[in-house]
Amino acid sequence: MSAFTGFENQSKAYLEYPLDLGDIIHHPASTFIYTKTEFDRYNLLHRNDWAIVDASLHPEKGDVILIELNAEQCLIPLDKVVWNEDMLMLGVLIAIIKFHRGKSVLPDLNIVDLSKSLNSLLIASPETSFISQAVGNNMLPLGIPNGSLNVIERHVDYKDGDIAVVYQKSTFYCRRLNFSEGTLEDGYGISMPIQRPFSVEGVVTKTVILFRALLQ
């Protein structure tokens, strides 16, 4: 199991400890990837996202579940479900993975143990990657809510419009790069000027939004 190190969040001192994104999966034999269908109206899941669903969990208050009705599947908050005899519950949503760079490619369906494969599927180069936990909701419109885990890759060439972790004025920030205007923008379009000394620590390529799962 490959391990890499990361920042607990953008503003705290560096903490070195092993992380593996497969740790969010507690029941690998019953956990699978679901992607959005035309029938699905759940607004936190988009076309390029992966939803990680655990079929072994019993739904609890506040959960989002995957259901099937008339051969169509969709995610829906448990408190909005109107049950009927034709409805089948397929599992509980434990995480959504958002791909900020490029198109997501589903793994081979023969891969059944996501607890062992998820880390390598999401992080191609662990030696040049780290994880930063989002603090606050200023990047929420870009799919990075408070408490989510950002996969940051140092080896990726950054460009205008990328979401990145940057360092300036002795502080780490997660912001969208706007080099044409010389600014850093949050998810609401509020900008701050780029000031020297300034460095891009890595590009945010993926975000893992945790629902039920916790890293152990």
Side-chain angles (χ1 to χ4, degrees):
M1 189 178 293
S2 63
F4 59 102
T5 57
F7 292 102
E8 187 178 43
N9 64 50
Q10 294 99 327
S11 61
K12 291 187 178 181
Y14 181 73
L15 300 175
E16 187 170 348
Y17 54 92
L19 296 171
D20 192 298
L21 291 175
D23 291 343
I24 70 174
I25 296 172
H26 299 162
H27 309 106
S30 58
T31 301
F32 58 94
I33 297 172
Y34 162 78
T35 56
K36 194 177 185 74
T37 66
E38 293 182 4
F39 183 72
D40 199 313
R41 296 293 182 265
Y42 186 59
N43 60 5
L44 292 184
L45 186 71
H46 299 97
R47 285 289 186 183
N48 205 38
D49 299 344
W50 292 357
I52 309 299
V53 177
D54 189 335
S56 71
L57 293 178
H58 180 75
E60 299 176 356
K61 184 178 180 181
D63 278 341
V64 176
I65 62 173
L66 179 65
I67 64 168
E68 182 172 292
L69 179 64
N70 300 325
E72 299 283 359
Q73 298 177 358
C74 69
L75 291 170
I76 185 170
L78 182 63
D79 60 5
K80 295 186 181 298
V81 176
V82 179
W83 294 102
N84 65 58
E85 60 183 14
D86 297 321
M87 190 177 293
L88 177 66
M89 195 199 82
L90 302 179
V92 175
L93 178 67
I94 61 171
I96 287 177
I97 300 171
K98 292 189 171 292
F99 293 77
H100 300 292
R101 263 292 198 104
K103 187 177 180 180
S104 65
V105 179
L106 283 172
D108 189 330
L109 294 178
N110 292 322
I111 298 176
V112 293
D113 191 344
L114 285 174
S115 67
K116 294 180 179 178
S117 61
L118 186 61
N119 202 72
S120 60
L121 288 171
L122 298 180
I123 302 173
S125 180
E127 299 82 7
T128 56
S129 303
F130 64 94
I131 284 181
S132 176
Q133 186 175 34
V135 177
N137 281 312
N138 57 356
M139 297 297 285
L140 179 60
L142 297 178
I144 305 177
N146 181 53
S148 59
L149 304 176
N150 295 321
V151 176
I152 296 124
E153 301 187 67
R154 296 181 185 273
H155 62 279
V156 174
D157 292 332
Y158 57 85
K159 57 183 176 57
D160 199 47
D162 275 341
I163 301 172
V165 169
V166 303
Y167 185 77
Q168 77 169 16
K169 298 173 64 176
S170 302
T171 304
F172 289 101
Y173 298 94
C174 179
R175 292 291 188 271
R176 174 180 275 170
L177 304 175
N178 187 346
F179 291 131
S180 59
E181 299 291 334
T183 60
L184 305 171
E185 298 178 350
D186 69 11
Y188 297 93
I190 298 174
S191 62
M192 59 188 297
I194 295 175
Q195 299 178 344
R196 307 293 178 183
F198 168 82
S199 64
V200 176
E201 298 299 309
V203 175
V204 179
T205 57
K206 302 160 193 85
T207 295
V208 181
I209 305 172
L210 300 175
F211 288 75
R212 266 289 198 97
L214 296 174
L215 285 171
Q216 295 180 331

